[in-house]
Amino acid sequence: MISLSRISRSLHRRGQKVAKELRSRVPRRPRPAILMYHRIADDSFDPWGTVASPGNFADQLSWLSGNRTLLPLPRFAELHRSGSLPADSLAITFDDGYRCSAEVAAPLLEQFRIPATMFLPVEWIEKSATYWWDELEEIVLGHDGDSLHVGGREIALGQRQSGDRRWTFGSGPRTPRQSAFDRICRDLSTSSPKDVESAMGELRRQAGTRTPSAPAKRPMTPEQVRAVASVLIGFGSHALRHPWLPSLAPDEQALEIGSSVDRCEALSGARPVAFAYPFGATDENSRRLVEEAGFNCACSTEDGGVAPSSSVFSLPRVHVGNWTAAGLKRALASL
Protein backbone atom coordinates (compact mmCIF):
# COMPACT_ATOMS: atom_id res chain seq x y z
CA MET A 1 0.00 0.00 0.00
CA ILE A 2 1.28 3.46 -0.91
CA SER A 3 1.48 5.69 2.11
CA LEU A 4 -0.20 9.10 2.25
CA SER A 5 3.13 10.73 3.06
CA ARG A 6 4.68 9.31 -0.12
CA ILE A 7 1.76 10.60 -2.18
CA SER A 8 2.11 13.99 -0.49
CA ARG A 9 5.84 14.18 -1.29
CA SER A 10 5.20 13.22 -4.92
CA LEU A 11 2.52 15.87 -5.33
CA HIS A 12 4.80 18.45 -3.69
CA ARG A 13 7.62 17.69 -6.14
CA ARG A 14 5.24 17.90 -9.09
CA GLY A 15 3.92 21.20 -7.81
CA GLN A 16 7.45 22.59 -7.50
CA LYS A 17 8.27 21.49 -11.06
CA VAL A 18 5.12 23.11 -12.46
CA ALA A 19 5.80 26.32 -10.55
CA LYS A 20 9.38 26.40 -11.87
CA GLU A 21 8.18 25.91 -15.43
CA LEU A 22 5.62 28.69 -15.06
CA ARG A 23 8.22 31.07 -13.60
CA SER A 24 10.55 30.36 -16.52
CA ARG A 25 7.84 31.46 -18.95
CA VAL A 26 7.24 34.78 -17.22
CA PRO A 27 9.76 37.47 -18.26
CA ARG A 28 11.87 38.60 -15.31
CA ARG A 29 11.59 42.24 -14.34
CA PRO A 30 14.76 44.07 -15.39
CA ARG A 31 17.11 45.29 -12.68
CA PRO A 32 19.07 48.55 -12.86
CA ALA A 33 22.74 48.04 -13.61
CA ILE A 34 26.00 49.84 -14.30
CA LEU A 35 28.26 48.27 -16.93
CA MET A 36 32.03 48.33 -16.41
CA TYR A 37 34.37 48.30 -19.40
CA HIS A 38 38.13 48.87 -19.65
CA ARG A 39 39.43 48.30 -23.16
CA ILE A 40 37.73 47.93 -26.55
CA ALA A 41 40.27 46.02 -28.60
CA ASP A 42 41.29 42.68 -30.06
CA ASP A 43 43.80 41.18 -27.64
CA SER A 44 44.76 37.58 -26.86
CA PHE A 45 46.31 38.52 -23.49
CA ASP A 46 43.34 39.18 -21.22
CA PRO A 47 43.86 37.58 -17.77
CA TRP A 48 41.35 39.88 -16.04
CA GLY A 49 38.60 39.84 -18.67
CA THR A 50 38.93 43.57 -19.31
CA VAL A 51 38.79 43.46 -23.11
CA ALA A 52 35.78 43.51 -25.43
CA SER A 53 36.30 43.38 -29.18
CA PRO A 54 35.06 46.36 -31.21
CA GLY A 55 32.58 44.10 -33.02
CA ASN A 56 31.09 42.69 -29.85
CA PHE A 57 30.98 46.13 -28.24
CA ALA A 58 29.08 47.55 -31.22
CA ASP A 59 26.61 44.64 -31.07
CA GLN A 60 26.11 45.24 -27.35
CA LEU A 61 25.40 48.93 -27.91
CA SER A 62 22.97 48.14 -30.72
CA TRP A 63 20.98 45.82 -28.46
CA LEU A 64 21.11 48.17 -25.47
CA SER A 65 19.91 51.15 -27.50
CA GLY A 66 16.64 49.38 -28.24
CA ASN A 67 16.09 47.52 -24.98
CA ARG A 68 17.21 49.56 -21.96
CA THR A 69 16.82 53.07 -20.59
CA LEU A 70 20.37 54.42 -20.91
CA LEU A 71 21.33 57.18 -18.50
CA PRO A 72 24.48 59.16 -17.73
CA LEU A 73 25.95 57.81 -14.50
CA PRO A 74 25.33 61.03 -12.50
CA ARG A 75 21.65 60.97 -13.47
CA PHE A 76 21.45 57.24 -12.73
CA ALA A 77 22.88 57.87 -9.25
CA GLU A 78 20.54 60.82 -8.66
CA LEU A 79 17.45 58.73 -9.44
CA HIS A 80 18.78 55.85 -7.36
CA ARG A 81 19.29 58.18 -4.40
CA SER A 82 15.70 59.45 -4.69
CA GLY A 83 14.26 55.95 -5.05
CA SER A 84 12.85 56.69 -8.51
CA LEU A 85 15.28 54.76 -10.71
CA PRO A 86 13.40 52.88 -13.48
CA ALA A 87 13.92 49.13 -13.33
CA ASP A 88 15.37 48.97 -16.85
CA SER A 89 17.90 51.77 -16.23
CA LEU A 90 21.49 51.22 -17.24
CA ALA A 91 24.66 53.33 -17.15
CA ILE A 92 27.94 52.67 -18.95
CA THR A 93 31.37 53.28 -17.45
CA PHE A 94 34.99 52.85 -18.56
CA ASP A 95 37.89 52.52 -16.13
CA ASP A 96 41.51 53.60 -16.61
CA GLY A 97 41.16 56.02 -19.53
CA TYR A 98 42.74 53.84 -22.20
CA ARG A 99 43.33 55.39 -25.60
CA CYS A 100 40.97 52.92 -27.24
CA SER A 101 38.17 54.42 -25.15
CA ALA A 102 38.67 57.63 -27.11
CA GLU A 103 39.55 56.15 -30.47
CA VAL A 104 37.18 53.16 -30.65
CA ALA A 105 34.53 53.32 -27.93
CA ALA A 106 33.68 57.03 -28.11
CA PRO A 107 32.76 57.06 -31.84
CA LEU A 108 30.52 54.02 -31.32
CA LEU A 109 28.87 55.61 -28.29
CA GLU A 110 28.24 58.76 -30.34
CA GLN A 111 26.88 56.67 -33.23
CA PHE A 112 24.30 55.00 -31.01
CA ARG A 113 23.73 58.18 -28.95
CA ILE A 114 24.57 56.38 -25.68
CA PRO A 115 25.99 58.27 -22.68
CA ALA A 116 29.03 57.01 -20.78
CA THR A 117 31.37 58.03 -17.98
CA MET A 118 35.12 57.45 -18.35
CA PHE A 119 37.17 57.32 -15.15
CA LEU A 120 40.66 58.83 -15.36
CA PRO A 121 43.70 58.00 -13.18
CA VAL A 122 44.62 61.65 -13.49
CA GLU A 123 48.40 61.64 -13.08
CA TRP A 124 48.87 58.85 -15.61
CA ILE A 125 46.84 60.83 -18.15
CA GLU A 126 48.73 64.06 -17.44
CA LYS A 127 52.02 62.27 -18.13
CA SER A 128 50.69 60.10 -20.97
CA ALA A 129 52.62 57.33 -19.24
CA THR A 130 52.10 53.62 -19.84
CA TYR A 131 50.31 51.98 -16.92
CA TRP A 132 52.68 49.97 -14.78
CA TRP A 133 50.75 46.70 -15.24
CA ASP A 134 50.98 47.00 -19.03
CA GLU A 135 54.67 47.86 -18.85
CA LEU A 136 55.15 44.90 -16.50
CA GLU A 137 53.54 42.63 -19.09
CA GLU A 138 56.04 43.73 -21.70
CA ILE A 139 59.01 43.40 -19.37
CA VAL A 140 58.13 39.91 -18.11
CA LEU A 141 57.01 38.46 -21.45
CA GLY A 142 59.73 40.12 -23.49
CA HIS A 143 62.79 39.82 -21.22
CA ASP A 144 65.74 38.02 -22.82
CA GLY A 145 66.89 36.48 -19.53
CA ASP A 146 65.31 33.61 -17.63
CA SER A 147 64.74 35.46 -14.33
CA LEU A 148 64.16 38.91 -12.84
CA HIS A 149 64.93 40.33 -9.41
CA VAL A 150 62.41 42.51 -7.62
CA GLY A 151 62.12 43.44 -3.96
CA GLY A 152 65.04 41.19 -2.97
CA ARG A 153 63.49 38.14 -4.64
CA GLU A 154 64.45 36.26 -7.76
CA ILE A 155 61.47 35.54 -9.99
CA ALA A 156 61.99 32.64 -12.39
CA LEU A 157 60.71 33.29 -15.92
CA GLY A 158 61.86 30.30 -17.89
CA GLN A 159 62.25 30.48 -21.63
CA ARG A 160 59.85 32.50 -23.75
CA GLN A 161 57.04 30.40 -25.20
CA SER A 162 54.65 30.93 -28.08
CA GLY A 163 51.72 30.72 -25.65
CA ASP A 164 52.98 33.47 -23.32
CA ARG A 165 50.78 36.10 -24.94
CA ARG A 166 47.65 33.95 -25.05
CA TRP A 167 45.76 34.16 -21.80
CA THR A 168 41.99 33.87 -21.76
CA PHE A 169 39.95 35.22 -18.87
CA GLY A 170 38.79 32.48 -16.54
CA SER A 171 41.89 30.35 -16.88
CA GLY A 172 44.91 30.53 -14.62
CA PRO A 173 48.46 31.19 -15.83
CA ARG A 174 49.62 28.41 -18.14
CA THR A 175 53.26 29.28 -18.81
CA PRO A 176 56.12 30.16 -16.42
CA ARG A 177 56.14 33.77 -17.64
CA GLN A 178 52.42 34.14 -17.14
CA SER A 179 52.86 32.84 -13.58
CA ALA A 180 55.70 35.32 -12.99
CA PHE A 181 53.59 38.19 -14.32
CA ASP A 182 50.65 37.15 -12.16
CA ARG A 183 52.82 36.91 -9.04
CA ILE A 184 54.50 40.31 -9.47
CA CYS A 185 51.27 42.01 -10.50
CA ARG A 186 49.38 40.76 -7.46
CA ASP A 187 52.13 42.00 -5.15
CA LEU A 188 52.35 45.45 -6.76
CA SER A 189 48.57 45.94 -6.97
CA THR A 190 48.32 46.39 -3.21
CA SER A 191 51.56 48.38 -2.85
CA SER A 192 51.83 52.14 -2.45
CA PRO A 193 52.58 54.22 -5.57
CA LYS A 194 56.06 54.89 -4.19
CA ASP A 195 56.78 51.18 -3.78
CA VAL A 196 55.33 50.40 -7.21
CA GLU A 197 57.61 52.94 -8.86
CA SER A 198 60.62 51.61 -6.96
CA ALA A 199 59.88 48.06 -8.10
CA MET A 200 59.26 49.10 -11.69
CA GLY A 201 62.52 51.07 -11.71
CA GLU A 202 64.35 47.95 -10.56
CA LEU A 203 62.72 45.90 -13.31
CA ARG A 204 63.47 48.51 -15.98
CA ARG A 205 67.15 48.51 -15.08
CA GLN A 206 67.29 44.78 -15.69
CA ALA A 207 65.14 44.58 -18.81
CA GLY A 208 65.23 48.03 -20.34
CA THR A 209 62.21 50.30 -20.66
CA ARG A 210 59.56 48.71 -22.84
CA THR A 211 56.40 50.30 -24.17
CA PRO A 212 53.38 48.21 -25.24
CA SER A 213 53.29 47.97 -29.01
CA ALA A 214 49.49 48.06 -29.08
CA PRO A 215 48.12 51.63 -29.02
CA ALA A 216 44.99 50.28 -27.30
CA LYS A 217 47.12 49.68 -24.18
CA ARG A 218 48.26 53.28 -23.90
CA PRO A 219 46.36 55.91 -21.93
CA MET A 220 44.55 58.80 -23.53
CA THR A 221 46.49 61.97 -24.03
CA PRO A 222 45.18 65.16 -22.39
CA GLU A 223 44.29 66.36 -25.87
CA GLN A 224 42.16 63.28 -26.47
CA VAL A 225 40.31 63.77 -23.19
CA ARG A 226 39.34 67.29 -24.20
CA ALA A 227 38.40 66.19 -27.72
CA VAL A 228 36.19 63.32 -26.50
CA ALA A 229 34.32 65.28 -23.79
CA SER A 230 30.78 65.92 -25.01
CA VAL A 231 27.15 66.00 -24.00
CA LEU A 232 27.18 62.20 -24.10
CA ILE A 233 30.66 61.41 -22.75
CA GLY A 234 31.73 62.68 -19.35
CA PHE A 235 34.71 62.02 -17.12
CA GLY A 236 35.09 60.98 -13.52
CA SER A 237 38.06 60.46 -11.24
CA HIS A 238 39.96 57.21 -10.76
CA ALA A 239 42.24 58.89 -8.18
CA LEU A 240 45.64 60.34 -9.07
CA ARG A 241 47.86 57.27 -9.50
CA HIS A 242 45.41 54.34 -9.40
CA PRO A 243 46.53 53.06 -5.98
CA TRP A 244 45.06 50.41 -3.72
CA LEU A 245 43.46 53.00 -1.43
CA PRO A 246 43.11 50.85 1.74
CA SER A 247 46.89 50.35 1.76
CA LEU A 248 47.53 54.11 2.08
CA ALA A 249 47.70 56.27 5.18
CA PRO A 250 44.71 58.60 5.65
CA ASP A 251 46.65 61.67 4.46
CA GLU A 252 47.72 59.82 1.31
CA GLN A 253 44.15 58.73 0.66
CA ALA A 254 43.04 62.35 1.03
CA LEU A 255 45.67 63.44 -1.50
CA GLU A 256 44.73 60.77 -4.03
CA ILE A 257 41.01 61.53 -3.81
CA GLY A 258 40.79 65.24 -3.02
CA SER A 259 43.56 66.45 -5.32
CA SER A 260 42.13 64.52 -8.23
CA VAL A 261 39.08 66.78 -8.44
CA ASP A 262 40.73 69.97 -9.71
CA ARG A 263 43.20 68.08 -11.89
CA CYS A 264 40.46 66.00 -13.49
CA GLU A 265 38.53 69.20 -14.18
CA ALA A 266 41.62 70.73 -15.78
CA LEU A 267 41.90 67.73 -18.09
CA SER A 268 38.26 67.43 -19.14
CA GLY A 269 36.89 70.95 -18.73
CA ALA A 270 34.15 69.86 -16.32
CA ARG A 271 34.20 69.19 -12.60
CA PRO A 272 33.95 65.44 -11.96
CA VAL A 273 30.98 64.27 -9.91
CA ALA A 274 31.65 60.52 -10.07
CA PHE A 275 34.53 58.48 -8.64
CA ALA A 276 35.67 54.88 -9.23
CA TYR A 277 37.82 53.13 -6.63
CA PRO A 278 41.03 51.82 -8.24
CA PHE A 279 41.00 48.01 -8.30
CA GLY A 280 37.58 48.36 -6.64
CA ALA A 281 39.41 48.55 -3.30
CA THR A 282 37.77 50.76 -0.70
CA ASP A 283 37.39 51.21 3.04
CA GLU A 284 35.31 53.39 5.32
CA ASN A 285 37.79 56.27 5.26
CA SER A 286 38.12 56.38 1.47
CA ARG A 287 34.34 56.34 1.05
CA ARG A 288 34.04 59.23 3.49
CA LEU A 289 36.76 61.18 1.67
CA VAL A 290 35.01 60.67 -1.66
CA GLU A 291 31.82 62.14 -0.27
CA GLU A 292 33.66 65.04 1.40
CA ALA A 293 35.47 65.82 -1.87
CA GLY A 294 32.12 66.67 -3.44
CA PHE A 295 31.51 63.59 -5.56
CA ASN A 296 27.85 62.62 -5.94
CA CYS A 297 28.49 58.91 -6.43
CA ALA A 298 31.22 56.30 -6.54
CA CYS A 299 31.57 52.91 -8.21
CA SER A 300 33.09 49.73 -6.85
CA THR A 301 33.94 46.58 -8.80
CA GLU A 302 31.50 44.44 -6.84
CA ASP A 303 29.77 42.42 -9.54
CA GLY A 304 26.00 42.74 -9.71
CA GLY A 305 22.98 44.89 -10.35
CA VAL A 306 22.05 47.95 -8.33
CA ALA A 307 19.59 47.16 -5.54
CA PRO A 308 17.47 49.71 -3.65
CA SER A 309 19.82 49.21 -0.69
CA SER A 310 23.04 49.82 -2.69
CA SER A 311 25.08 52.71 -1.32
CA VAL A 312 25.44 55.56 -3.79
CA PHE A 313 29.12 55.72 -2.74
CA SER A 314 29.76 52.03 -3.40
CA LEU A 315 27.68 51.16 -6.43
CA PRO A 316 28.15 47.65 -7.84
CA ARG A 317 28.77 47.14 -11.53
CA VAL A 318 28.47 44.37 -14.09
CA HIS A 319 31.93 43.35 -15.27
CA VAL A 320 31.33 43.08 -19.02
CA GLY A 321 33.30 40.44 -20.88
CA ASN A 322 33.97 39.90 -24.56
CA TRP A 323 30.36 38.93 -25.08
CA THR A 324 27.98 39.04 -27.98
CA ALA A 325 24.77 41.01 -27.53
CA ALA A 326 23.07 37.73 -26.61
CA GLY A 327 25.71 37.15 -23.92
CA LEU A 328 25.11 40.60 -22.45
CA LYS A 329 21.35 40.02 -22.53
CA ARG A 330 21.80 36.76 -20.58
CA ALA A 331 24.08 38.41 -18.03
CA LEU A 332 21.59 41.21 -17.37
CA ALA A 333 18.70 38.75 -17.17
CA SER A 334 20.53 36.80 -14.48
CA LEU A 335 20.88 39.77 -12.10
Side-chain angles (χ1 to χ4, degrees):
M1 180 180 292
I2 300 175
S3 69
L4 291 177
S5 61
R6 184 175 177 183
I7 294 174
S8 177
R9 287 195 299 271
S10 177
L11 291 174
H12 179 68
R13 285 195 297 269
R14 289 182 185 179
Q16 285 183 317
K17 183 178 180 181
V18 170
K20 183 177 180 180
E21 290 176 353
L22 289 174
R23 285 196 299 269
S24 68
R25 296 175 188 175
V26 178
R28 292 185 62 177
R29 188 169 183 262
R31 185 175 178 183
I34 302 169
L35 302 187
M36 176 176 62
Y37 295 91
H38 287 77
R39 293 195 293 124
I40 306 302
D42 291 304
D43 194 346
S44 62
F45 191 87
D46 186 24
W48 305 298
T50 57
V51 182
S53 72
N56 279 343
F57 181 63
D59 287 345
Q60 291 172 13
L61 294 185
S62 178
W63 180 81
L64 288 170
S65 65
N67 291 277
R68 298 301 290 259
T69 297
L70 298 158
L71 301 170
L73 178 61
R75 178 59 175 163
F76 183 103
E78 178 185 346
L79 293 175
H80 172 63
R81 190 195 299 268
S82 66
S84 54
L85 185 63
D88 69 341
S89 296
L90 188 141
I92 290 179
T93 63
F94 287 80
D95 284 10
D96 299 343
Y98 278 102
R99 189 170 298 185
C100 58
S101 297
E103 296 175 347
V104 182
L108 288 169
L109 290 164
E110 293 283 357
Q111 176 185 331
F112 288 99
R113 305 303 298 165
I114 293 176
T117 296
M118 298 182 178
F119 292 110
L120 304 178
V122 177
E123 195 164 294
W124 292 94
I125 303 295
E126 291 171 340
K127 296 178 178 179
S128 295
T130 301
Y131 299 124
W132 67 259
W133 51 88
D134 291 323
E135 185 180 4
L136 177 66
E137 176 192 332
E138 291 302 311
I139 289 175
V140 172
L141 301 189
H143 185 44
D144 291 332
D146 59 8
S147 66
L148 287 165
H149 291 81
V150 58
R153 297 174 302 158
E154 181 178 17
I155 307 295
L157 303 179
Q159 297 299 311
R160 282 182 290 193
Q161 299 182 16
S162 59
D164 286 341
R165 295 186 181 274
R166 294 194 297 272
W167 190 345
T168 305
F169 177 61
S171 65
R174 296 185 176 182
T175 71
R177 295 207 172 206
Q178 289 179 355
S179 295
F181 169 80
D182 185 61
R183 178 180 175 184
I184 299 172
C185 196
R186 287 179 185 276
D187 287 345
L188 295 187
S189 294
T190 56
S191 299
S192 70
K194 180 179 178 180
D195 289 341
V196 169
E197 183 53 37
S198 175
M200 290 303 299
E202 184 180 3
L203 290 167
R204 291 185 196 110
R205 287 190 291 273
Q206 297 169 72
T209 302
R210 295 176 180 268
T211 302
S213 57
K217 287 189 177 180
R218 299 171 192 163
M220 292 186 207
T221 64
E223 293 74 21
Q224 284 179 314
V225 173
R226 288 188 284 272
V228 166
S230 69
V231 173
L232 286 175
I233 299 175
F235 291 92
S237 170
H238 211 19
L240 291 180
R241 295 167 292 181
H242 200 286
W244 188 279
L245 289 170
S247 71
L248 303 183
D251 60 330
E252 292 178 297
Q253 285 189 355
L255 176 68
E256 285 286 341
I257 295 168
S259 297
S260 73
V261 178
D262 290 340
R263 290 165 69 174
C264 189
E265 181 178 13
L267 282 170
S268 67
R271 201 156 187 82
V273 296
F275 187 89
Y277 301 102
F279 303 109
T282 181
D283 57 17
E284 184 177 347
N285 189 61
S286 60
R287 291 190 292 272
R288 177 182 60 80
L289 288 169
V290 166
E291 186 171 4
E292 291 178 353
F295 293 102
N296 294 335
C297 63
C299 291
S300 70
T301 57
E302 178 187 353
D303 200 22
V306 176
S309 60
S310 297
S311 167
V312 76
F313 287 105
S314 189
L315 292 167
R317 291 184 284 178
V318 176
H319 184 156
V320 181
N322 190 25
W323 305 329
T324 62
L328 177 60
K329 180 180 178 180
R330 286 193 297 270
L332 293 175
S334 68
L335 296 177

